[in-house]
Amino acid sequence: MDFTLTEEQRAIEDGIGQIMSDFGDEYWLEKDKTGGFPEEYYQAMASGGWLGVSFPEAYGGADLGIASAAVMMRAIASSSGAMQAASAIHMNVFGPKAVAVFGTDEQKQRWLPPIISGEQKSAFGVTEPNAGLDTGSITTRAERTNDGYVVNGRKVWTSTAQVADKILLLARTTPKEECERGIDGLSLFYTDLDRSACDVREIDKMGRKSVDSNEVFIDNLKVPAKDLIGEEGKGFRYILYSMNPERILIGAEAVGIGFEAVRRASEYAKERVVFGRPIGQNQGIQHPLAESWAQLEAAWMMCMKAAALYDAGESCGAEANAAKYLGSEAGFTACERAVLAHGGMGYAKEFHVERLMREVMINRIAPVSQQMVLNFIAERVLGLPKSY
Ligand SMILES: Cc1cc2nc3c(=O)[nH]c(=O)nc-3n(C[C@H](O)[C@H](O)[C@H](O)COP(=O)(O)OP(=O)(O)OC[C@H]3O[C@@H](n4cnc5c(N)ncnc54)[C@H](O)[C@@H]3O)c2cc1C
């Protein structure tokens, strides 16, 4: 068991730190107010070669594994960029994992290099308004044609669909009634987000303004057969493959945001003098921040344990879920305490902690809720009966 970062991981932290220093508080605050994809930042990450961190070297990636990706995403989120910075590239880091594992050589050659170079962006279309967390109940339908499929349906919360060129799309190819389980009969496509067939409408939301979230209305989207990943009907199995890395990265990002909030609150508490002494001299200010530090460290260890298992090819479902759960809770609690430690100024945008708190809320909700994480652990680890 080794609790230190490798030399490579330290180099990742340094490299990311250098890029993030060009995108400071004012940049992200402006993005939070006015929106618009953070293209300059995205291109800087592409130029630095960071968008291929977990993809095979043969296609231009660095093949570093999820532990290193977690170090990278924590470093990104712990800058002022929080989830705006993390989500802008998150899909590049974990999303096309299904492509990298289940795609053919021809598909990987066609799809991965443009993602890694920053030439193309991709969105992830799984969630639907009438299915929610019950993915087996999605109704977006892909019907076979002579040369491929035609897709009709509706997605919701599809991030980056305003700017994406491609979409990783889950759709039903066999009616649910004809399947043994709801999650059977779903197929995964990686295809052009053709705007003549997809009406993309942005959702006005609480935070992370520059990384858009959308409703996508799909009307006769033509998908060539060569854009089907793996076998028809096995799409849910393929996205499961990217779910554990995604949970680990979401946990790591929340930990990064939490540490940044604690750092800001500690700095403020050293400077702000009330009743003739710095507020940080009061244990009522110190203890919540110190406790948050301990909670964040513990959550980070779970992220790294889950990542180490994943990278070793071992099963890591429970640990990846726990990493997402603990990271998100610790991150949110740290941000809330940082706001309170700032007093009234915690509510002012110029001190940034309220923005961190709004953004880290996402990690508790998506890609899976905290309740569903606990359902998973209760059922799969503790052997309790399924509750739903
Ligand atoms: C900012 C943001 C970005 C997102 N980006 C994407 C994206 O790019 N692509 C994509 O496909 N999706 C995306 N999502 C969707 C996200 O994954 C879903 O919102 C999330 O999975 C929850 O689904 P839902 O909103 O339908 O909640 P629902 O399924 O409606 O659940 C609502 C609440 O009920 C609880 N609940 C439901 N059933 C149970 C049960 N059996 N036991 C206990 N509690 C239960 C849930 O835990 C939750 O608290 C994003 C969401 C957000 C907020």
Side-chain angles (χ1 to χ4, degrees):
M1 207 174 284
D2 185 354
F3 293 105
T4 55
L5 294 186
T6 62
E7 238 172 74
E8 187 177 71
Q9 289 167 345
R10 282 188 203 287
I12 291 174
E13 279 190 334
D14 289 347
I16 293 294
Q18 273 170 27
I19 293 188
M20 298 317 289
S21 66
D22 290 337
F23 300 93
D25 285 351
E26 294 317 310
Y27 179 81
W28 295 112
L29 182 57
E30 186 56 26
K31 284 284 165 202
D32 179 58
K33 287 181 182 163
T34 55
F37 191 78
E39 190 66 35
E40 313 78 11
Y41 154 76
Y42 186 82
Q43 290 307 332
M45 294 303 280
S47 304
W50 297 106
L51 300 187
V53 68
S54 52
F55 293 117
E57 286 180 65
Y59 304 99
D63 216 356
L64 292 186
I66 290 300
S68 293
V71 170
M72 170 178 152
M73 296 314 291
R74 173 183 155 172
I76 288 170
S78 69
S79 75
S80 185
M83 290 309 284
Q84 294 193 96
S87 297
I89 64 154
H90 190 105
M91 178 63 189
N92 296 62
V93 177
F94 85 92
K97 201 81 192 150
V99 174
V101 177
F102 301 103
T104 62
D105 285 343
E106 184 276 323
Q107 289 176 325
K108 288 186 231 185
Q109 196 54 57
R110 191 155 45 98
W111 292 333
L112 295 181
I115 295 175
I116 294 168
S117 69
E119 204 182 306
Q120 286 184 353
K121 300 184 184 73
S122 36
F124 191 48
V126 173
T127 309
E128 294 191 7
N130 297 326
L133 287 155
D134 181 9
T135 306
S137 293
I138 66 168
T139 52
T140 293
R141 190 92 173 89
E143 306 270 1
R144 258 218 176 266
T145 60
N146 287 339
D147 52 359
Y149 298 84
V150 61
V151 180
N152 282 285
R154 190 174 157 197
K155 296 287 171 184
V156 71
W157 286 113
T158 316
S159 296
T160 70
Q162 295 288 334
V163 290
D165 309 275
K166 296 277 183 179
I167 184 165
L168 188 65
L169 183 68
L170 191 69
R172 184 159 282 292
T173 35
T174 307
K176 193 176 175 187
E177 312 74 67
E178 293 170 26
C179 299
E180 206 174 300
R181 300 170 308 163
I183 52 172
D184 296 333
L186 300 172
S187 298
L188 190 62
F189 304 92
Y190 188 70
T191 196
D192 290 343
L193 182 46
D194 173 3
R195 279 151 212 284
S196 68
C198 296
D199 180 10
V200 180
R201 297 186 200 163
E202 188 164 356
I203 300 170
D204 198 10
K205 61 190 189 304
M206 181 193 261
R208 208 196 69 177
K209 188 168 173 69
S210 62
V211 182
D212 53 273
S213 296
N214 305 278
E215 288 182 278
V216 181
F217 298 84
I218 307 170
D219 184 16
N220 287 326
L221 173 69
K222 292 189 180 59
V223 177
K226 65 180 183 164
D227 288 355
L228 171 73
I229 297 173
E231 286 176 51
E232 196 182 282
K234 296 199 173 157
F236 188 78
R237 250 187 55 197
Y238 303 148
I239 58 162
L240 269 185
Y241 200 84
S242 58
M243 278 182 182
N244 286 331
E246 188 183 21
R247 283 160 173 56
I248 296 167
L249 298 184
I250 287 284
E253 290 160 14
V255 166
I257 297 171
F259 273 124
E260 175 61 5
V262 168
R263 186 193 68 75
R264 285 177 189 266
S266 305
E267 288 304 312
Y268 185 80
K270 279 186 250 174
E271 303 285 322
R272 171 76 174 157
V273 174
V274 183
F275 294 113
R277 59 193 186 152
I279 57 167
Q281 203 174 331
N282 301 308
Q283 290 184 343
I285 294 287
Q286 290 182 1
H287 286 185
L289 298 178
E291 187 186 43
S292 273
W293 180 89
Q295 289 169 348
L296 290 162
E297 281 291 327
W300 176 241
M301 280 186 216
M302 182 54 90
C303 292
M304 289 310 268
K305 178 179 178 185
L309 290 171
Y310 182 88
D311 286 340
E314 291 185 35
S315 101
C316 67
E319 291 80 3
N321 274 282
K324 187 268 178 197
Y325 181 91
L326 294 172
S328 305
E329 290 302 319
F332 182 80
T333 303
C335 289
E336 186 188 26
R337 289 172 175 181
V339 169
L340 294 173
H342 279 74
M345 286 305 164
Y347 210 62
K349 289 197 186 261
E350 66 177 289
F351 282 86
H352 302 281
V353 284
E354 62 79 36
R355 177 166 59 82
L356 300 186
M357 190 180 83
R358 282 186 281 116
E359 294 202 6
V360 80
M361 178 65 103
I362 298 168
N363 306 50
R364 297 167 86 200
I365 299 171
V368 63
S369 70
Q370 301 294 74
Q371 292 93 333
M372 291 307 281
V373 165
L374 296 178
N375 284 345
F376 179 90
I377 293 173
E379 199 188 322
R380 302 291 178 87
V381 181
L382 308 181
L384 295 170
K386 187 169 175 160
S387 59
Y388 59 99

